[in-house]
Amino acid sequence: MSPNRVEGDRTVVGLPTEEAVEAVVAADPTRDPDEVRSLLDHVTEDGRVTRDGIDATVSDVAKRLATAETRVELARSALDDASRAAAGVRELDVVASRLEGYRATLDAVTTRVERLGAELRETSTPADRPDAVYESVVELRRIAIEIREPQRRADDLQLDLEEFGRWLGSHERRRRAFAEDVDAVADSLEAARGDRDDAESWLDASLQAALVPVLIADLRAELADLREMAERDGVADGKWAEELEGRLDALESRAESVRDTLDEAGTPAWAEAHGDRIDAFARSLDGVEPPVDWGAVRSDLERARALDEPYP
């Protein structure tokens, strides 16, 4: 590099890799040369940083972005199909809440992909200066990595929607899925019953136990909607619903027993340390009614669990 070139006139494009590394580090001495070298390798051809190398990297990221955009459109199409399939039952909470959740996920994924697309456009034609080229490569690599997550979510959403379509069309699928949810609540109760070896495990078990009545209430409301769907499908035998209702009654009794067991197991020191937190979480659930916003409830549960933060 010419000794007569002033700092603001320095260029990077066309320089051998090592000289480019030196220029980028000279512009900001806090940068690690090895990291700079590794990143500039993405825009290097025949040992030199080139505009073609930059363009090729932009093109690669753009292809990844286009793939994610395609997956989002496929998920959108799947949601449209599911909405049409649900037309006759979409007034039921068990259906409407699922469709609302799917749409919220799609909106979030769409927003993130669009944001990454805007960021790609902003960084795709950097000025030929050390800072600009280096920061552009940093951004391009970040976008290439970040695009994986919304693409994965779009793929998962499409699969969920396809399963939702099958769930809509089959009483037996709906019955099995509901029974599995009941099993999950039963398993959580058993875990809570045994998880009281120390203050923190006792706290977690007590919070889980406080949540069980909300889970059961939500399941009861869902079961009522499933009964309605079964009647519309012409399922005459209602014994399946009676059996599941009986299981929910049994779970409610077990939940009371587990809460009593946990209350007895808690030492005065544990109650002193965590009792207010448990009571506050239980109060936060008082106004929660079906269909439950489980995202909000889980967020509140995590706050209650976080002992390094005040709650509520």
Side-chain angles (χ1 to χ4, degrees):
M1 186 175 296
S2 170
N4 296 322
R5 190 186 295 272
V6 298
E7 181 68 28
D9 293 333
R10 284 188 174 180
T11 62
V12 174
V13 174
L15 288 181
T17 303
E18 288 307 314
E19 289 188 27
V21 170
E22 291 174 6
V24 170
V25 172
D28 183 350
T30 65
R31 292 171 179 150
D32 178 73
D34 290 336
E35 183 178 341
V36 172
R37 187 178 297 104
S38 176
L39 283 164
L40 290 183
D41 279 345
H42 293 286
V43 294
T44 296
E45 294 182 338
D46 298 326
R48 292 179 180 273
V49 174
T50 67
R51 181 62 65 180
D52 285 346
I54 296 172
D55 291 344
T57 299
V58 170
S59 178
D60 175 68
V61 177
K63 288 177 182 176
R64 299 185 190 203
L65 181 66
T67 298
E69 290 170 341
T70 298
R71 302 297 175 80
V72 169
E73 288 308 310
L74 290 172
R76 190 181 308 281
S77 178
L79 178 57
D80 290 342
D81 291 344
S83 297
R84 285 191 291 270
V89 290
R90 66 185 313 158
E91 84 280 4
L92 300 177
D93 285 338
V94 69
V95 175
S97 61
R98 282 168 165 78
L99 287 173
E100 182 180 347
Y102 296 141
R103 189 164 298 282
T105 298
L106 179 62
D107 288 345
V109 170
T110 300
T111 297
R112 187 162 185 190
V113 171
E114 289 176 347
R115 175 177 62 79
L116 290 171
E119 291 171 356
L120 174 60
R121 289 189 291 274
E122 290 174 2
T123 195
S124 60
T125 54
D128 187 8
R129 296 193 304 274
D131 276 338
V133 170
Y134 179 70
E135 289 169 5
S136 175
V137 177
V138 169
E139 284 297 288
L140 290 170
R141 300 311 302 163
R142 178 187 64 79
I143 294 168
I145 293 170
E146 282 195 23
I147 199 63
R148 298 172 188 165
E149 196 271 339
Q151 179 177 323
R152 179 192 58 77
R153 289 187 68 191
D155 288 341
D156 289 347
L157 177 59
Q158 183 181 355
L159 293 174
D160 289 345
L161 285 163
E162 290 170 355
E163 176 58 30
F164 175 66
R166 291 188 287 270
W167 178 89
L168 279 172
S170 169
H171 163 71
E172 183 56 25
R173 280 182 180 272
R174 296 192 296 269
R175 186 200 65 77
R176 286 202 308 267
F178 187 88
E180 289 170 2
D181 289 342
V182 175
D183 289 341
V185 176
D187 290 344
S188 71
L189 272 176
E190 284 306 304
R193 185 191 298 273
D195 195 7
R196 43 195 167 90
D197 295 332
D198 54 50
E200 288 191 23
S201 62
W202 175 79
L203 166 65
D204 191 66
S206 298
L207 293 173
Q208 291 282 5
L211 189 57
V212 168
V214 178
L215 285 164
I216 294 175
D218 201 45
L219 287 170
R220 289 191 189 280
E222 180 174 334
L223 182 58
D225 283 349
L226 294 182
R227 281 183 174 184
E228 176 65 24
M229 293 178 74
E231 289 177 7
R232 295 184 190 187
D233 285 351
V235 178
D237 185 0
K239 290 183 179 179
W240 65 275
E242 294 173 6
E243 177 188 344
L244 290 168
E245 189 72 50
R247 291 191 63 192
L248 292 177
D249 292 341
L251 278 179
E252 207 155 40
S253 296
R254 285 171 60 192
E256 292 178 6
S257 173
V258 168
R259 288 196 296 274
D260 290 342
T261 298
L262 288 169
D263 287 344
E264 293 171 1
T267 69
W270 294 359
E272 176 69 23
H274 304 309
D276 289 346
R277 187 173 288 259
I278 295 168
D279 292 342
F281 178 66
R283 286 194 301 271
S284 76
L285 297 173
D286 286 343
V288 176
E289 296 181 355
V292 175
D293 180 355
W294 286 110
V297 171
R298 290 190 188 97
S299 177
D300 197 34
L301 175 61
E302 291 308 311
R303 287 181 56 231
R305 283 171 165 164
L307 295 178
D308 57 341
E309 297 179 8
Y311 180 85

